[in-house]
Amino acid sequence: MATRTDAPTRREQILKEAARLFAERGFHGVGVDEIGAAVGISGPGLYRHFAGKDAMLAELLVGISESLLTGAKRRLAEAGVAGVAGVGGAPDGVGPEAVLDSLIEGHIDFALDDRPLITLHDRELDRLRDADRKLVRQLQRQYVELWVGVVRRLYPDLGEPAARSAVHSVFGLLNSTPHLTRPGSLPDRAGTAELLHRMARGAFAAASGS
């Protein structure tokens, strides 16, 4: 999502504005007409793209979970890591430390560029239909397990439960960015990304006792 450079489609424009408005004012605090106005079309015109606000919310939350998982799998594939558990060799000297750095970088891109989606997940996940909520949870579990496999390759003495707890803790750290919006609370984007990366690596090292 954050690396896309081509022009967004109308559906993507609608979803971006819906995410922003839902995050700012809550799901029930935003009407279809307001979302339409934000993208320059009538409220009823939105129904040519989505069945309603519920469908927008589901696509936003399922979509970002799919995007994170797909991005993580791509990063592992590029590093030559085999299997969901992160077991296997890597070409050209790419070791688990570099793979973990790549995963962290990908999640930082999400945390800095898609902050409204973090807020939406925290506040509105329970509003999804059962099937959509279960799908989000399933995708998230798969995403976590990819990280756990990489973390355990880098820190082989770290048990699986401890590695999983460390991954969830790092996600909590990286996903805190929506709360850091006070002017001057963050450096520029590059500085913030570097800070978050150091803190994430430090958390994993601390969990392993390194």
Side-chain angles (χ1 to χ4, degrees):
M1 294 181 67
T3 59
R4 182 177 179 139
T5 57
D6 51 324
T9 66
R10 178 50 61 94
R11 281 179 64 87
E12 289 169 337
Q13 291 173 343
I14 293 169
L15 287 172
K16 180 179 179 179
E17 291 304 316
R20 178 182 65 83
L21 290 168
F22 292 159
E24 288 176 357
R25 294 160 50 190
F27 181 74
H28 287 306
V30 178
V32 171
D33 289 342
E34 294 168 279
I35 299 171
V39 295
I41 62 177
S42 67
L46 288 179
Y47 292 107
R48 292 197 298 269
H49 302 278
F50 296 96
K53 291 198 307 177
D54 289 339
M56 295 180 208
L57 182 63
E59 186 157 335
L60 284 165
L61 294 183
V62 172
I64 191 56
S65 297
E66 290 175 336
S67 179
L68 284 169
L69 178 59
T70 299
K73 287 181 175 179
R74 173 180 54 78
R75 289 169 181 271
L76 294 186
E78 289 172 352
V81 177
V84 172
V87 177
D92 303 324
V94 178
E97 185 170 359
V99 177
L100 180 59
D101 282 336
S102 181
L103 287 179
I104 293 172
E105 288 166 6
H107 198 100
I108 287 174
D109 283 342
F110 158 66
L112 292 178
D113 297 335
D114 293 303
R115 297 185 204 184
L117 292 177
I118 298 174
T119 301
L120 273 188
H121 179 276
D122 290 345
R123 294 179 182 172
E124 312 290 357
L125 180 62
D126 288 343
R127 299 191 188 280
L128 294 182
R129 296 181 308 167
D130 286 347
D132 290 327
R133 187 168 59 253
K134 288 177 181 178
L135 177 56
V136 169
R137 294 299 193 193
Q138 177 184 1
L139 293 166
Q140 290 174 339
R141 284 194 296 271
Q142 293 178 45
Y143 182 59
V144 168
E145 293 312 306
L146 290 179
W147 279 67
V148 169
V150 172
V151 169
R152 295 195 69 202
R153 287 183 67 225
L154 181 57
Y155 302 108
D157 293 335
L158 190 63
E160 186 173 312
R164 190 171 294 108
S165 294
V167 169
H168 281 292
S169 296
V170 167
F171 288 172
L173 164 68
L174 301 181
N175 291 347
S176 68
T177 54
H179 306 292
L180 304 176
T181 55
R182 182 171 53 83
S185 61
L186 291 173
D188 60 22
R189 190 191 188 285
T192 301
E194 182 181 356
L195 174 63
L196 290 171
H197 199 123
R198 289 201 311 269
M199 294 174 71
R201 285 299 305 269
F204 285 126
S208 70
S210 300

